[in-house]
Every structure is written in structure tokens, then in C-alpha cells.
Amino acid sequence: ALFDRAVLELVVDGYTAPLTAGNFLDLVGKKFYDGMEIQRSDGFVVQTGDPDGPDGPLVGYGQKSPSDEPRIVPLELNFQSDANPTYSATSEDLGRAAAPTTLKFQAYGALGMARDEYEADSASSQFFFLLFDSDLTPAGKNLLDGRYTNFGYTVKGEDFLQDVAPGDIIESVKILKAPKPFGTYNGPDV
């Protein structure tokens, strides 16, 4: 690796993806990701959040054993033409495959909530950073928009993502600014 440490700054969009962003911030506040290994880095995504790693039987937050159900977050999509998010169905399931989503997977370091490919409501604690490639994920035509929840972007340090490898450790994740209940930020015009 070129660097011993990567520092990233993320913007999480709680307006466009309120359940997903709230779930992520709740887990950050509980220090769920602190000390966790990166579990996947394959040139397409960098992924983490599996409580016992990719080879273990657990899949999400809240599980103590494989028989326990993890906390589940539904697939959450926000289409540009809609006032509110849509839940529990992909854009294809809704017959809206061509409808543009508000947050698109069109930037290096876009944040996505991982889930089982065939079960819309199976996200829990696993998330990924998209390593955007315009050939693999062209804006408006990629396979992630409308199939996975995008809940924010990496706005600082995204260049480090290309060097992150499986087994790298997340030292800590901190909330820098957030409104209640996750922080005390009131916004610039309050």
C-alpha cells in the first residue's frame, strides 16, 4: 500500500435516503464499524459491515448467532419525479427502470447499501464505496441505480480507496456534523 492510513470524509444524505442514512449513522454512533476489517476490494467496490467477515455465518447488525434475525433496512429509492422515497422494490420491479434516481452511482466513492442481489429488503450493516468507472457504470445506464440505495458520497480522501485492500482495518468512524438525534448541528441558516 502507498499509505499507512487513509482518512475519508463522507456526506450522508438523510433527506433522500432517510432510513438508510439513519441506520448508518446509528451504527456509527454505536461504534459498530470501529476496528472492522474491509471485506471486499475488487476494483469495483470497497465493502465492509459484515459482523464476522465474508466467510462467517452472520450477515448483519443485531445477530449474535446465525439463527438471530439481523436488523433489516428496506431498499430505499428516491426518484427525481417523486416527492418521497419508494421502498422494498427495485426500479425494474416497479416498471420504472428508465426513471432517474435522485442520488446516482456516478461518482468515485459513492456510498451504497449492500444487500442480497435477489432480496430487496435484505440490507443491514454492510455498505460499499463504488470505485466508479465510466465504462462499467455509465451515468444513467448503470446496473446500480434503481437496484441499490445510494445514501451519500465520499467528499474527501476518495483517492485512497483504490489502495484499500481486504483485511485493512477501519480504526474509527466519527460523525462530524449531524442534526439530532445523531449530533447538535443546526445548519447554516438556523
Side-chain angles (χ1 to χ4, degrees):
L2 295 173
F3 301 96
D4 292 336
R5 173 185 250 198
V7 177
L8 307 175
E9 191 170 310
L10 317 174
V11 171
V12 176
D13 188 336
Y15 179 77
T16 305
L19 293 181
T20 306
N23 178 67
F24 180 76
L25 292 174
D26 180 56
L27 293 174
V28 168
K30 291 177 178 176
K31 301 189 180 308
F32 177 76
Y33 300 108
D34 292 7
M36 188 171 282
E37 288 188 4
I38 297 296
Q39 295 142 1
R40 176 180 171 192
S41 182
D42 58 11
F44 182 61
V45 299
V46 171
Q47 184 170 321
T48 193
D50 190 335
D52 61 351
D55 298 324
L58 306 181
V59 297
Y61 176 77
Q63 286 185 296
K64 303 283 188 233
S65 74
S67 62
D68 295 336
E69 289 293 322
R71 175 168 75 184
I72 297 296
V73 179
L75 176 62
E76 183 172 40
L77 302 175
N78 197 314
F79 296 98
Q80 288 181 357
S81 61
D82 296 353
N84 296 303
T86 299
Y87 295 96
S88 303
T90 66
S91 59
E92 291 93 356
D93 294 340
L94 297 168
R96 300 178 70 181
T101 54
T102 303
L103 290 180
K104 296 175 181 52
F105 286 100
Q106 64 182 18
Y108 197 87
L111 297 171
M113 199 64 172
R115 64 175 182 83
D116 182 294
E117 183 178 358
Y118 302 106
E119 179 59 46
D121 293 344
S122 59
S124 179
S125 54
Q126 296 183 51
F127 74 97
F128 60 88
F129 298 91
L130 176 66
L131 303 181
F132 179 78
D133 180 321
S134 60
D135 291 335
L136 294 174
T137 52
K141 298 178 184 167
N142 69 63
L143 296 176
L144 298 175
D145 289 339
R147 295 182 73 205
Y148 291 86
T149 304
N150 178 331
F151 65 99
Y153 295 99
T154 306
V155 296
K156 186 175 179 182
E158 62 271 18
D159 293 338
F160 290 112
L161 289 171
Q162 67 189 358
D163 295 318
V164 172
D168 286 352
I169 303 293
I170 298 171
E171 285 183 19
S172 67
V173 182
K174 297 176 182 138
I175 299 170
L176 301 178
K177 286 190 220 175
K180 292 179 183 179
F182 304 110
T184 59
Y185 183 66
N186 290 321
D189 49 289
V190 174

